[in-house]
Amino acid sequence: MIWTSFLHAACLTLCAPPLQDAVVVEQPQEPEAPKAQPAVAPVVPVVPAADLRLHAERVYTGTGEILKNALIEVRDGKISSVRPGRSAPEGVLQVKAVTAGMIDLSARLHSNFNSVEQSTEVQPHLDVAGSVDLHDKRFARLARTGVTTVLVNPLDRNVIGGRGVALKTHGPMEVEARRLNGRPILRGAIGSEPSAANHAAFGRPTDFYSRRPTTRMGVEWEWRKAFFDAVAAKRLPEKDFPGAEDLREALAGKRTVMIQAWTTQDIRTAVYLDEEMQREGFGDLDLVIDAGAEAWKEPGILVRNSTIVVLPPHTAGGRVGSDGAFLAWNTASLLVGEGLTVCLSAHGAGPGSATLGHQAGFAMRGGLSFDQALAAVTSAPASVLGLSERLGTVHEGMDADLALWNGRPFAATSRVTGVLIDGVIVVDPR
Amino acid sequence: MIQQSTRLLQRIAQTHLALTLGLLGCSFLLSAQAEAGEKYAVRAGIVHTLAGEAIPNGVIVIEGGRITAVGSADDVKIPWDAEVLDVPHLEAYPGFVEAHTSSGMDRPNESVSVAPFLNVRDSIDPVAFYFEDCLRSGITTVNVQQGNACIIGAVGMVVKPHGMTVEEMLVRPRAGLKISAAPKSGMSRATQAQTLRGAFTGLRLHLEDLVQQKRTGNDFSRREALYQGRDLAGERGKGRAMMSKGWTVEGLELVPRGEVDEKQEPLLDLVEGRVPAWIYCGAPMDVRLALEIASDNGFLERTILVLDDSCWKAADLIAEAGVSVVLDSTLVRTEMDPKTEEEEEVFIPGVFKDKGIPFALSSRNSTTESLWFQAAMCVAHGFTRAEALAAVTTTPANILGLEGEVGCLCPGAAGNVLLTSGDPLSVTSFVEYVVIDGNLVYDRSVDIRTQHLLEGVVPEGTESHAEEPEVEEDTRKKAGDEGGSR
Amino acid sequence: MHTNALLLASLAFVASAPTSASSSEGDALAIRAEKLHVGDGTVIENGIVVFEAGVITEVGKGAPVPKGVVLIEHAGHLSAGLIALREHAGAVGESNDSTRAVMDEADLSYAYRPNHSEVQGLLAEGITTFVLAPRPGSLVGGLCAVAKTGSEVISRRAYLSICTGANGLTSNRFPTSLQGSQAELERRFSWPRGVFATAVKGELPVMLDGGSSRTEVQHAIAFARRHGLKGILVGSTRLGEMAAKIRAAGLGVALSSYSPSTGRRVVEGAVALAEMQVPFGFALGSPNNHPANLRLTAAACIRGGLKSGEALKALTSTAARLAGVGDKVGSIQVGLAADMVLWSGEPTDPGSRVMAVYVDGDEVFRAEDDENGDDK
Amino acid sequence: MQVGSDLTIPEGARLIEGDVVCAGFMDPWGSLGMNAAAVVDMGTNAATRATDGVDPYIDPWYRNRALAAGVTAVRVQAGMASVRGGVGAVLSTAPAADLESMILLRDSNAAAGLGLSSRGKAPDVFARIGAVDKLVGDINSGRDYSIVHAKYAREMEAWNKAIAEAEAKLEKDFKKAKKDRDKEIAEAKEDDKEFKEEKYKEDKLLKRPKLPKQDVEDAVMARVASGELPLVVTIHRAAEMRELLKGTAKFKRLRLVIAGGTEAEAVADQLAARSIPVIVRPIPLGANRPDEYSGHDLALAGRLADAGVRVLLGSSGGGSADLPLLATLAIGHGLDRDKALAALTTEVARTFDLSGELGSLRPGRRADLLVLDGEPLLPTTTVRYVLSGGRVLISPDSQD
């Protein structure tokens, strides 16, 4: 089976004709349709036709319920109605199952070393959006696997890499046009990556990699120093520096701070950092641990701090990431059991067997329930992005970002056969 | 009996574990071997024979390692003296068959380009974690062949992933000769092809030379006898005439086979069709060479192609030649149109299915891409369950010439049974027990590695070990950096 | 063959009055060519061009040839000298300094060596004017100069050279990232001083190297619009794909040199730009590219559907206008410098030879007599 | 079938109208259709086959581009920069799924490379001259090889005869010999002595001549020495070319072809005298070109042609689709238009023994031809139709 990545043509032909038959065919067999549209003025008897309609045997809304034989209507990129218990009208797109489009908070779609400003190790003010390449085929590939929204972050070569940007995986080819303005994210890392390229000044004083941390201690110290300086600069304007404001906003909880920390020791460090800020009365970080593979070892500290965790992909041997962290397959269910918010991610792996959908399946192999798994790839990440109003669940008014499945979602024996993003058919299941 | 061994094994395991660095030991290895005639029976909730309808509440009777009876508990009587594994909550399936792998050897490749005289027997490591993992994911038959980086490689063998010695593991020796149509490093396709053909020309010249020597000798003694007026005692050939669908060397019967260079022998076996050939193709263009070599030298019927995922483009050629194939573990391939720069995804097993080419799936030896997962991917892409399961059981069995011996639960077949908590293609079900030749060889309840992976259970004393290797490496890297600086 | 015969005749004629081969001392020269390409697309059959003191004084079919003025008959085509946008010839190893990211006041005219062999090589291919630009490697590489081949610099502030894309980055000085370089450039242009101020006022055009990828080019265009910059885009083979955007931004384009690997995009780009009426010329980038590449690129575009008239304009008048020297060179018009090439055939056909080249009225190149005219 | 101005078009034949018709262009020095690794392989030897490096599965689009430019055939080589390139082949550029229909000639030539830079480094000067002698040596051993094998054939003949006679005689004398033997045994019995068989000696005439060593590389070089295969030598420097010409002078039947020949002007007279064709690469090379190309000049083709040397034009693997365009550069730098056209058609066919098949419009030739709307080799001329093997593969309404 062969399908191409771009289907504008397909979607256009699809948006056009249904307009008519929607009006003609739809009206008689759906008497209550007008009631469903109170907003429509009585002078206009005809309901504006949907741009697109599709019928699913099962719609997993993401709010715990499963709608059987539901008819989903899409109008100007939004879901205009979801009505269960309908028979599929003629010529309407039919699928087995529908979930909200999946969201990957660690999609790693940055353009590598061009995406992190290494001249100094703390760059809270730089926005990765400037280096995102929307023509990168990886966006389309992710879209094909049902991932409709991604958070792109700077590469982990900096202690504080800068602002991440949330994007749909399909849409206009300009970042600013595609950017999702939810909750701002400040992304950095703890562990070996930020210091990987660095060395002490002796011998090679000419390059600036000699000015940067070469140890975990150093990395951790840079974090604390950055926040202390930012607070100090508040009082002493002459001490102000680019990004100080971003850091203060983070302390004020206006920005989410996303820290990559694979191993227990690094997760601990991140949480301690947050708690130190609280003790110092600087503020309370809204902390998200990215790639928190070993979160299962000390869930306690995470609970204590109600930290959100983004998990890296499950591997056969459990080993994952450059710090040799070990991810137990029951981590997600364990943390959820502890009442923590957990998001799954492919962390740049795949496509192939390591897609986000498969990760949800593997988490279920580790004991996560279906609903929890669904949340971990849709509503949970949506809330981290502060976009719960638009993304992560399937109901009226939400963005028409849908993953269309040919069987039970996340089962190894089914897959995403169709994808809608903002109401546009990006992958046509037919 | 199981309980006992279990407890004991757990104790062994603990100590064993303390020793292993990082990777946790194989605690579940239950090393009882079937005495001939020893009886074993399995009673399961459902028995999927893959050779007919599924049998609810079914019974499998195994005697002397072979299945003697399969059927509903009502029809099939369990011998009174049989050891019984009674698991009504589980489903029984035949063990999966890995049609071709280079895992399980200490090193899969040999630097010598043409080395048909080698045998993987000498490289297989019975305690390799690969074999352990096979049991976890339900693989009970493995065809171990040399890696793809060769021209003519070693003789491979079929084993079961259980046993303390290669002899114990052995299912079938001389399971074929490995050949690669794709260039090994330092060569290009042109030079690879040249060397490959050269190997067979070499064999032919060698044989012709042997025959020539014999002839010269015989002729002389004939003349001598004539001269001396002796009646010549009929000089008959001590060897066997050469049988081959390709080329033959006249008068090879004159040469006792023992005189054939032992380094050349396996190649002669191949040409005479006594062993199958496993030919690796790294690109569609290699398929042509592979088929040419096979038919020119008369072993096309006994050829199996081991394909890189790019080879789907040569499917027509393969279908025409009527050979079977083993597919790469990458099932969906992305091709890019050089003009439009747009990507297309090709589901490879689909291509081969449509062309009617018998194909076996191969695992990437990992939980996330083992045979059950590969089969599941096929279902996700529109295969029926039967088609998908066939590609990891009966088809590979046929390809290996083990039809009816493995890959199905039918009388006469080896007693290889998986007992799964549910549909083996489901991400949420597990292989609970594995029976090979009527021996219980895997029991998940005592598989500490799986527990560690799935539940993060870390037995005492192994925690630090489990961490160290990578972390150490890590700090060492750093230390190096600082070292440079101090 | 009679072409060459005639040509030889004319040569003899010139030889008889050697000093007259140079019009600098004031005595005029006139050339009549079978086809005279003015540069605005019009072609004059048997057109005559008269020039004196390096400047064209008369052009036309019946242009009056003053008494005593030598009239050179050229059985072939005559066009203005070709112009290469973005050249590095004659600035050996001094055309960029990657140690600093921003070198706003660097002036390429100081690096120009008129007599360098690289420069002479350009003449043999009929290139009489070129824009000497810094090699990519810095965010702001400096000021590009317009130089006459083997002669003086005629404009020292043709462009301010800017790399908005990845090729302005290096791994061991600020910036190492695209967002870093964007932040820096924003800073420079949002509170502009010096050349940046002039550029923002639109008085100093920019040469924007967006880098190769479509996204980088998009950024470059957006950057130019944001700050109301005028000038040309260079560097990417994908510029044609964004013809509409480029036009909207009121920018011009210098197309990269043709090469078998990237050629297709360059060609399609040229056609697209021509359709969108985006003014474009050709970059050469010698010495790393052979000077012949300039005409080869044009020819490739013609083979790909570009009108050969369009191609010639891109090689001459349009290029001159884009380089801000349209009032000095680029077409055969009264008052402009007498920079001319005598061709054996169509100027845009790589198959026609450069018979002679004039810069400021001086004959600076003359093809050695070729035999293959005779042995026919 | 037929060519002419007054032909009757047979029934049902499709008539294609066009101003100019010419034979399809041939790239005598290309790589289109080859697997990249095979082309750059440095480990090839005289017997490596180009046909083993052909990849029929490359996207047809690449070949269509060449076709659209009018290039209908390419001579390819495994190991283009290798010391011994092996047996070259001529491929059709017409897209095809199977190898057989791509191959026009499976052994067009043998090949060697002398003094070529690999990874930007040129071999040192002594090694370079040594390499030339080595090549000459190989041609020599090729010649000896065929001599030795011919000798063997004769010896075998003689031997078979000798054996036949000897055996006939033995057969004849057998009865007597048997009688004598029985007699001797009897005598031995009487005076109970032990019976001894009479010693049988054979004179060395009856010794089977030894089969000379089989060597595939020598076998190819033998074909080269005998002039059966042209030998394409990629060589650039004058010094090496002189050495090569000197060394190969003694092989009267050798058919040398020079590829590259950057400094060939220095030996132009010899090349002309021995009618050795030179495949010139008319591509504009910039400053950072390999050492052997340092003397590169677009005027080379023209100058050689003027000196009476047979000139071919080749892409050197840089992209056959661009060859016609590049050819115009050669024209612009002094190569006569007609000679340029010949350099892409008839000369190629002649050099690689394809004249009976390709390169010209004569009855009986393979129908690889172009229909143009103007003179060939003008940028303004577009190729309207391309026929390969009589099939119309490119027409105005086909895109790419």
Side-chain angles (χ1 to χ4, degrees), chain C:
Chain C
M1 66 162 278
H2 78 295
T3 316
N4 301 302
L6 258 177
L7 180 74
L8 292 175
S10 68
L11 292 177
F13 203 178
V14 177
S16 71
T19 53
S20 66
S22 143
S23 66
S24 44
E25 311 86 26
D27 24 0
L29 254 174
I31 303 176
R32 181 185 2 237
E34 282 182 347
K35 285 190 163 53
L36 188 154
H37 299 262
V38 175
D40 57 2
T42 57
V43 179
I44 307 172
E45 302 284 330
N46 300 315
I48 297 176
V49 53
V50 185
F51 50 96
E52 186 168 8
V55 178
I56 297 171
T57 53
E58 292 282 352
V59 181
K61 204 171 181 57
V65 179
K67 278 237 162 306
V69 167
V70 184
L71 175 67
I72 300 177
E73 292 287 349
H74 172 56
H77 295 236
L78 180 151
S79 79
L82 308 187
I83 301 175
L85 300 169
R86 198 187 215 194
E87 243 306 88
H88 310 306
V92 202
E94 294 181 357
S95 53
N96 86 326
D97 173 353
S98 63
T99 60
R100 282 162 299 158
V102 175
M103 294 182 301
D104 39 356
E105 295 294 348
D107 185 336
L108 263 286
S109 60
Y110 292 122
Y112 178 48
R113 299 189 199 162
N115 303 327
H116 193 279
S117 59
E118 291 169 3
V119 180
Q120 295 308 313
L122 298 176
L123 284 176
E125 296 298 334
I127 300 165
T128 58
T129 306
F130 61 90
V131 175
L132 187 58
R135 290 206 168 86
S138 313
L139 298 192
V140 178
L143 293 160
C144 308
V146 181
K148 284 287 191 81
T149 309
S151 175
E152 86 283 10
V153 166
I154 55 173
S155 160
R156 296 181 55 176
R157 308 187 127 227
Y159 299 105
L160 178 62
S161 162
I162 299 171
C163 290
T164 56
N167 53 11
L169 311 176
T170 63
S171 66
N172 64 355
R173 63 130 166 79
F174 171 83
T176 73
S177 69
L178 287 170
Q179 58 262 48
S181 93
Q182 284 154 16
E184 176 64 8
L185 288 169
E186 282 308 316
R187 191 171 69 78
R188 299 280 187 160
F189 281 83
S190 306
W191 300 277
R193 286 200 236 88
V195 289
F196 300 108
T198 353
V200 169
K201 282 201 218 82
E203 290 161 9
L204 173 61
V206 293
M207 180 184 279
L208 279 178
D209 185 333
S212 50
S213 81
R214 272 175 287 193
T215 304
E216 286 171 296
V217 175
Q218 279 179 7
H219 280 301
I221 297 169
F223 178 76
R225 296 196 78 156
R226 202 154 53 242
H227 301 287
L229 304 177
K230 293 276 154 278
I232 59 172
L233 290 161
V234 298
S236 175
T237 56
R238 292 187 174 276
L239 290 169
E241 296 173 29
M242 269 153 278
K245 281 201 177 68
I246 296 173
R247 184 186 182 177
L251 294 165
V253 167
L255 284 169
S256 316
S257 276
Y258 183 90
S259 81
S261 50
T262 63
R264 188 179 117 254
R265 292 216 193 96
V266 176
V267 169
E268 287 166 359
V271 176
L273 292 168
E275 271 170 19
M276 275 285 165
Q277 291 157 0
V278 174
F280 67 93
F282 296 100
L284 175 52
S286 100
N288 286 351
N289 287 321
H290 189 287
N293 232 311
L294 192 68
R295 253 188 331 146
L296 184 68
T297 308
C301 296
I302 293 168
R303 188 181 63 165
L306 184 68
K307 300 233 175 344
S308 91
E310 292 285 340
L312 185 57
K313 272 197 263 177
L315 286 166
T316 55
S317 51
T318 314
R321 210 170 72 248
L322 286 172
V325 292
D327 57 346
K328 296 198 180 73
V329 297
S331 45
I332 307 299
Q333 281 171 24
V334 176
L336 268 58
D339 298 355
M340 298 171 294
V341 182
L342 307 189
W343 308 92
S344 67
E346 273 291 336
T348 52
D349 172 10
S352 41
R353 303 185 58 194
V354 176
M355 307 312 297
V357 180
Y358 291 77
V359 171
D360 296 329
D362 299 346
E363 180 188 297
V364 289
F365 175 84
R366 164 72 64 184
E368 77 270 19
D369 312 341
D370 55 315
E371 297 79 359
N372 50 342
D374 309 340
D375 53 72
K376 282 221 244 87

Side-chain angles (χ1 to χ4, degrees), chain D residues 257-275:
Chain D
V257 179
I258 301 272
T262 299
E263 298 166 16
E265 217 182 333
V267 292
D269 46 357
Q270 289 192 62
L271 296 173
R274 285 169 61 177
S275 141

Side-chain angles (χ1 to χ4, degrees), chain A residues 207-351:
Chain A
D207 79 39
F208 54 56
Y209 296 98
S210 58
R211 297 200 314 271
R212 301 182 49 192
T214 54
T215 62
R216 280 185 153 76
M217 303 178 288
V219 172
E220 197 277 344
W221 173 78
E222 291 283 354
W223 273 100
R224 283 163 58 228
K225 181 175 185 303
F227 283 115
F228 273 90
D229 291 354
V231 174
K234 184 97 187 227
R235 276 180 264 102
L236 314 159
E238 70 276 15
K239 281 251 166 75
D240 203 12
F241 59 94
E245 187 49 35
D246 301 71
L247 293 169
R248 286 192 291 265
E249 284 183 10
L251 287 168
K254 294 200 204 106
R255 286 184 179 279
T256 296
V257 178
M258 193 172 188
I259 301 180
Q260 172 170 297
W262 294 94
T263 61
T264 326
Q265 72 193 100
D266 297 331
I267 295 170
R268 221 181 281 141
T269 309
V271 175
Y272 290 169
L273 177 72
D274 185 2
E275 292 176 343
E276 179 177 1
M277 294 300 127
Q278 294 168 36
R279 272 202 309 282
E280 298 288 338
F282 290 165
D284 182 357
L285 298 178
D286 175 5
L287 185 62
V288 174
I289 299 292
D290 188 8
E294 294 189 348
W296 59 275
K297 287 190 177 170
E298 294 175 352
I301 54 173
L302 297 165
V303 175
R304 191 169 73 198
N305 191 270
S306 66
T307 305
I308 296 169
V309 180
V310 179
L311 291 178
H314 303 77
T315 63
R319 296 272 164 215
V320 59
S322 55
D323 283 343
F326 186 93
L327 172 69
W329 283 40
N330 69 331
T331 306
S333 63
L334 183 117
L335 298 180
V336 170
E338 297 278 356
L340 289 168
T341 304
V342 173
C343 306
L344 298 173
S345 85
H347 203 77

Side-chain angles (χ1 to χ4, degrees), chain D residues 72-349:
Chain D
T72 55
V74 182
R75 186 192 64 85
V76 294
Q77 192 74 71
M80 285 180 95
S82 172
V83 178
R84 295 289 177 275
V87 180
V90 178
L91 306 178
S92 160
T93 54
D98 66 315
L99 184 67
E100 294 317 309
S101 53
M102 281 176 71
I103 298 175
L104 295 175
L105 182 59
R106 69 176 55 252
D107 49 359
S108 56
N109 66 286
L114 294 174
L116 306 179
S117 308
S118 71
R119 291 192 205 74
K121 260 185 98 295
D124 78 49
V125 61
F126 302 109
R128 289 186 328 229
I129 294 304
V132 178
D133 302 342
K134 177 82 176 62
L135 177 59
V136 174
D138 284 7
I139 302 172
N140 223 342
S141 47
R143 188 167 61 176
D144 301 346
Y145 186 77
S146 42
I147 293 169
V148 167
H149 277 261
K151 182 156 164 291
Y152 172 71
R154 286 197 304 278
E155 290 173 350
M156 275 306 282
E157 208 175 307
W159 178 77
N160 284 323
K161 204 155 141 289
I163 283 287
E165 289 166 355
E167 295 196 337
K169 185 173 180 307
L170 287 167
E171 300 274 3
K172 200 160 113 293
D173 304 348
F174 179 62
K175 281 204 173 57
K176 180 175 177 301
K178 192 168 173 29
K179 212 180 271 125
D180 298 353
R181 182 166 179 274
D182 298 344
K183 198 149 141 284
E184 280 166 28
I185 295 178
E187 288 172 3
K189 227 199 197 100
E190 277 171 23
D191 36 29
D192 51 43
K193 281 207 220 75
E194 190 200 340
F195 167 72
K196 273 204 201 58
E197 290 282 4
E198 193 175 350
K199 195 105 190 58
Y200 173 70
K201 277 213 249 53
E202 257 179 7
D203 84 278
K204 45 182 124 36
L205 260 184
L206 296 182
K207 188 151 175 15
R208 195 175 198 284
K210 198 165 176 333
L211 175 73
K213 190 172 125 298
Q214 305 280 343
D215 185 313
V216 282
E217 297 182 45
D218 284 345
V220 172
M221 290 322 268
R223 296 173 69 193
V224 168
S226 70
E228 182 194 342
L229 286 181
L231 176 65
V232 178
V233 183
T234 310
I235 184 171
H236 293 272
R237 299 183 189 82
E240 288 152 65
M241 275 185 269
R242 281 205 194 81
E243 193 71 10
L244 179 67
L245 291 169
K246 195 156 108 265
T248 55
K250 62 170 179 286
F251 305 111
K252 292 286 167 269
R253 287 147 78 194
L254 176 72
R255 288 159 59 203
L256 210 53
V257 179
I258 301 272
T262 299
E263 298 166 16
E265 217 182 333
V267 292
D269 46 357
Q270 289 192 62
L271 296 173
R274 285 169 61 177
S275 141
I276 295 171
V278 178
I279 308 174
V280 177
R281 181 184 181 189
I283 192 169
L285 294 176
N288 47 4
R289 53 186 183 245
D291 176 73
E292 61 267 31
Y293 278 102
S294 47
H296 180 75
D297 184 347
L298 287 169
L300 176 65
R303 300 222 183 98
L304 289 177
D306 296 345
V309 179
R310 293 173 51 198
V311 171
L312 281 61
L313 296 173
S315 69
S316 173
S320 298
D322 287 286
L323 188 55
L325 182 65
L326 294 172
T328 62
L329 266 182
I331 296 168
H333 290 75
L335 182 63
D336 179 79
R337 221 167 248 287
D338 305 339
K339 285 186 182 164
L341 193 54
L344 295 178
T345 53
T346 49
E347 277 299 334
V348 183

Side-chain angles (χ1 to χ4, degrees), chain B residues 45 63 82 119 159 161 265 270 309 319 336 361 372 374 405 422-423 431 441 444:
Chain B
E63 294 185 32
N119 193 312
V159 299
E265 239 179 319
L270 184 68
D309 53 345
M336 205 227 268
L361 298 170
W372 69 266
Q374 300 285 48
E405 303 217 356
D423 171 7
V431 173
V441 296
R444 188 166 82 94

Side-chain angles (χ1 to χ4, degrees), chain A residues 287-425:
Chain A
L287 185 62
V288 174
I289 299 292
D290 188 8
E294 294 189 348
W296 59 275
K297 287 190 177 170
E298 294 175 352
I301 54 173
L302 297 165
V303 175
R304 191 169 73 198
N305 191 270
S306 66
T307 305
I308 296 169
V309 180
V310 179
L311 291 178
H314 303 77
T315 63
R319 296 272 164 215
V320 59
S322 55
D323 283 343
F326 186 93
L327 172 69
W329 283 40
N330 69 331
T331 306
S333 63
L334 183 117
L335 298 180
V336 170
E338 297 278 356
L340 289 168
T341 304
V342 173
C343 306
L344 298 173
S345 85
H347 203 77
S353 70
T355 65
L356 190 51
H358 286 117
Q359 292 314 322
F362 295 151
M364 286 169 71
R365 190 174 177 83
L368 206 62
S369 77
F370 174 82
D371 289 341
Q372 293 166 334
L374 179 59
V377 293
T378 53
S379 51
S383 68
V384 171
L385 295 175
L387 294 167
S388 302
E389 300 312 305
R390 287 181 56 185
L391 309 174
T393 53
V394 185
H395 59 72
E396 192 173 330
M398 302 295 277
D399 287 11
D401 298 354
L402 301 174
L404 316 181
W405 303 76
N406 66 350
R408 184 169 168 79
F410 313 142
T413 48
S414 55
R415 66 186 178 92
V416 172
T417 53
V419 177
L420 260 69
I421 297 180
D422 293 322
V424 174
I425 295 193

